[in-house]
Amino acid sequence: MAVALALGSSALGAFLQVVFDRMATKEFGNLFRGRKKDEELVLKLKTNLRAVGAVLDDAENKQTSNRYVKGWLEDLHDTIYEADDLLDEINTEALRLKVEAKCNNSTTQVSALNYSSSFSNDFLGKMMPQIEKMVARLDWFIQQINPMGLQVVAPKMQSCRTPSTSLVDEATVYGRDADKEKIIKMLLSESANGVNFTVISVVGLGGIGKTTLAQLIYKDKRVQNHFPTKAWVCISEDYDAARITKELLEGLDIPLPDTSENLNSLQVKLQLELTGKKFLLVLDDYWNRAFNDWDKLRVLFKGGLQGSKIIVTTRDEKIALMICKKESIYSLDLIAEEDCWSLFEKHAFENKDGDQRLELEDIGKKIVKKCARLPLAVKTVAGLLRSKTTAEEWEDILVSEVWTQTDNEDDILPALRLSYSHLPSRLKRCFACCAVFHKDFEFRKEEIIHLWQANDLLEPPGENRGIEQIGEEYLRELRLRSLLEQSTDGLFLMHDLVNDLARAVSRRYCYRLEDTDLEHGKIGSISYFSYHPCPRDTFNKFEFLRETKNLRTFLPLSKGDDGNRLSQKFLHEMLPKFRSLRFLSLLSYAIFKLPDSISDLKHLRFLNLSSTLLETLPECICTLYNLQTLLLSDCKKLEELPVSSAKLINLSYLDISGSPLKKMPLYMGRLRNLSFD
Ligand SMILES: *[C@@H]1O[C@H](CO)[C@@H](O)[C@H](O)[C@H]1NC(C)=O
Ligand SMILES: *[C@@H]1O[C@H](CO)[C@@H](O)[C@H](O)[C@H]1NC(C)=O
Ligand SMILES: *[C@@H]1O[C@H](CO)[C@@H](O)[C@H](O)[C@H]1NC(C)=O
Ligand SMILES: *[C@@H]1O[C@H](CO)[C@@H](O)[C@H](O)[C@H]1NC(C)=O
Ligand SMILES: *[C@@H]1O[C@H](CO)[C@@H](O)[C@H](O)[C@H]1NC(C)=O
Ligand SMILES: *[C@@H]1O[C@H](CO)[C@@H](O)[C@H](O)[C@H]1NC(C)=O
Ligand SMILES: CC(=O)N[C@H]1CO[C@H](CO)[C@@H](O)[C@@H]1O
């Protein structure tokens, strides 16, 4: 399979390939024809990029133990992003000339070359000094290679996995039967002393399988029958009473009150709905130690019918003691050695025949020992070994120093770290980018594939595979390695600890606003930015983003609540300054009009304006020649598209479902490969 073949290990290496691809197009070459001096400079740029590219793998390996190398790599990362912007800008100008040539004279096919010879001296006059600076900066990086002892290492060949027919059934759980029965017994028992509801807390390490166990119990037939009223909510690290209440109401299929922003009215509603009912609520992953918050929350449940139960899963024993009686605490233990082995076998040995198995079993047993009976670790390392077929490769994993690294500042499980470091280089970037999603966030396939595509993380589509298929293969690879999970309704999500890993590897360039750990001096490097939209998102909320230089993704994460408002000042004054943006989503904001300056975002590939209140789009949006995806679904006021929409020659996906468009602009049919929804 193509993904597995794309070897090379550093994440930045995959990006460098993207940069080379930009210089490899015909249009790019044509621009410089007959400009000897400029051509030489471009050649020098390529040579320099190759020189740093050759030592990237070595640098990535050494960065954990050498902070100078780490700094070098980080600065280089930013520099390559800037180089990419420069080259993309040149390509965009070539694209502009091509489109305009076509549009200014629609009857004849005017050769793009004719226009490139008239390619404005002004434009190149502006770009070439920047390329020159870039070359000089790269010279500086090259000078450091020898002093830091960086070397060219030959890529290690990995065996290529034969495509498997099906994914492992992730639902099978090992070694939890006894635990399950005990907890179900606690649930089904009537409370002795006449209290209305009982809290049972399941306590255990991260990765031990608390949520999995709770799900097993929640889905059990006996439990289903016993509790007609049930809801599940993920609490996670940032405790938000309004969100929890809302999600409980949604889980109980109760329509939200009209004043759904008002915490008090939400809570009154919930409390009323639960009164006199026998309910089961699961509060998954509780972190909040504040007694006050718990006290306020539990009031909502007090009207329940006797025998109602609340399961709270948490890593923190102190929390368990705070919220329930000692006898209602269930401490989840590690799973037994045999169960570890069964779990491992199931995930690692699929597609391996008898002989292979025999050869690998002994090493496998030793590897399982290193996982310290933690199911998540076993599953992840098994997922990694699934694609490795030789004893040498298995030995490599067994003796890896990652198992014993103690200076692991992020506290990431060794098995997870290993799994990441063995990902092919493109997948590393795709995985790291998932850090934009907060814990427990469930995303749709399309959302992640668009995000990857807009950021050039996927390989270019080929003859027989479109971008969507490529995206699906990547998703599958990540699932096989247990780095992503798929829920029963087809949404994707990450285990908490895997989310921590994604955050750790993308720490410098991926930032979620709700995280508190923004390191000083880091802002300049942020490329991916996500946050929760609020009813009033003011200018101040985003002001710190002024300092970013490479912001490529701007992503509000919302579950489709509309009525959120974005500051006009932000929209008009700040947004157009994020010149590097590739992915922009303004979903569900009550926006009536986009500023013309949106057309300054020349690099934009993806624009989601769904569920906004736009009546028209500015005409100049048609000069976003790189735009591939434009989502305009459920724009209830949008009646027409800009006249020259046909200029958007890279547009391949347009979603206008649920928008009352009256007619399509002329020449839309010329857009090759445009698909609609
Ligand atoms: C196409 O026409 C527009 C105005 O009609 C002009 O501004 C632009 O420079 C022309 N483009 C080319 C490539 O001639
Ligand atoms: C377009 O090309 C045709 C044929 O070459 C020419 O007759 C016409 O004048 C051109 N139109 C414009 C607007 O340049
Ligand atoms: C430029 O355009 C003219 C027609 O306007 C054509 O005859 C000529 O071959 C073109 N030049 C190139 C290099 O394509
Ligand atoms: C239990 O719920 C009933 C209503 O269902 C309520 O009247 C009673 O006060 C509750 N008991 C406690 C201890 O809160
Ligand atoms: C675009 O916005 C809509 C409306 O909020 C949302 O449902 C959808 O998931 C978004 N699409 C992508 C691909 O992000
Ligand atoms: C259009 O799609 C087909 C197959 O889906 C592909 O072969 C072709 O290269 C695409 N063309 C463009 C311009 O993207
Ligand atoms: C970003 C992107 O897909 N750009 C493409 C736009 O279309 C031109 C030609 O049609 C391609 O060469 C670019 O790669």
Side-chain angles (χ1 to χ4, degrees), residues 197-202 210-211 214 218 231-236 239 241 243-245 247-248 270 274 279-288 293-294 297-298 300-301 309-315 319 323 440:
F197 70 93
T198 317
V199 180
I200 297 170
S201 65
V202 179
K210 297 180 292 297
T211 302
Y218 193 73
W232 176 297
V233 59
C234 284
I235 309 283
S236 203
Y239 186 91
R243 178 182 65 85
I244 295 166
T245 316
E247 289 187 18
L248 280 173
L270 180 61
L274 290 177
F279 57 77
L280 170 65
L281 305 177
V282 180
L283 309 180
D284 190 29
D285 203 23
Y286 200 98
W287 286 78
N288 185 357
D293 286 332
W294 170 248
L297 187 64
R298 70 173 172 184
L300 308 179
F301 313 133
K309 299 284 179 347
I310 297 175
I311 300 180
V312 178
T313 72
T314 178
R315 290 186 205 173
I319 287 178
I323 62 180
D440 306 315

Side-chain angles (χ1 to χ4, degrees), residues 27 95 98 605 626 628 649-650 672:
E27 286 85 357
L95 212 53
K98 192 168 149 185
R605 264 71 164 160
N626 286 304
Q628 297 163 329
I649 60 166
N650 273 318
R672 285 177 302 163

Side-chain angles (χ1 to χ4, degrees), residues 37-136:
K37 209 164 143 251
D38 296 343
E39 215 172 7
E40 272 169 17
L41 200 55
V42 171
L43 194 65
K44 181 84 174 58
L45 179 65
K46 279 189 205 169
T47 316
N48 275 4
L49 286 171
R50 261 190 218 111
V52 290
V55 297
L56 278 184
D57 285 359
D58 194 37
E60 194 149 288
N61 287 334
K62 286 179 176 155
Q63 63 169 337
T64 30
S65 53
N66 184 330
R67 66 191 163 94
Y68 299 109
V69 173
K70 189 166 184 218
W72 182 86
L73 202 55
E74 288 174 350
D75 292 344
L76 182 62
H77 179 274
D78 296 352
T79 304
I80 293 182
Y81 267 75
E82 282 169 46
D84 180 54
D85 272 357
L86 277 180
L87 296 170
D88 197 52
E89 203 172 328
I90 295 177
N91 273 327
T92 306
E93 176 68 6
L95 212 53
R96 183 182 75 85
L97 293 169
K98 192 168 149 185
V99 177
E100 285 191 353
K102 261 193 196 148
C103 292
N104 283 9
N105 200 325
S106 55
T107 49
T108 47
Q109 275 284 357
V110 181
S111 155
L113 209 60
N114 258 349
Y115 285 92
S116 65
S117 53
S118 67
F119 197 59
S120 81
N121 282 319
D122 283 358
F123 179 75
L124 276 191
K126 218 173 60 203
M127 296 308 289
M128 292 325 283
Q130 296 186 53
I131 300 263
E132 201 167 347
K133 263 191 211 150
M134 183 54 64
V135 168

Side-chain angles (χ1 to χ4, degrees), residues 194-196 275-277 302-305:
V195 292
N196 284 359
T275 298
K277 299 230 171 83
K302 72 173 185 205
L305 203 62

Side-chain angles (χ1 to χ4, degrees), residues 611-628:
S611 304
T612 55
L613 299 176
L614 292 169
E615 291 168 7
T616 55
L617 295 174
E619 190 62 34
C620 60
I621 211 168
C622 304
T623 61
L624 295 175
Y625 300 118
N626 286 304
L627 202 64
Q628 297 163 329

Side-chain angles (χ1 to χ4, degrees), residues 21 75 97 121 148 213 241 420 432 491 543 562 662:
D21 289 348
D75 292 344
L97 293 169
N121 282 319
M148 288 197 296
L213 178 62
Y420 172 76
L491 297 172
E543 184 153 22
D562 31 23
K662 293 209 172 118

Side-chain angles (χ1 to χ4, degrees), residues 5-20:
L5 281 170
L7 298 177
S9 56
S10 79
L12 200 49
F15 189 47
L16 211 49
Q17 189 53 50
V18 173
V19 176
F20 281 120

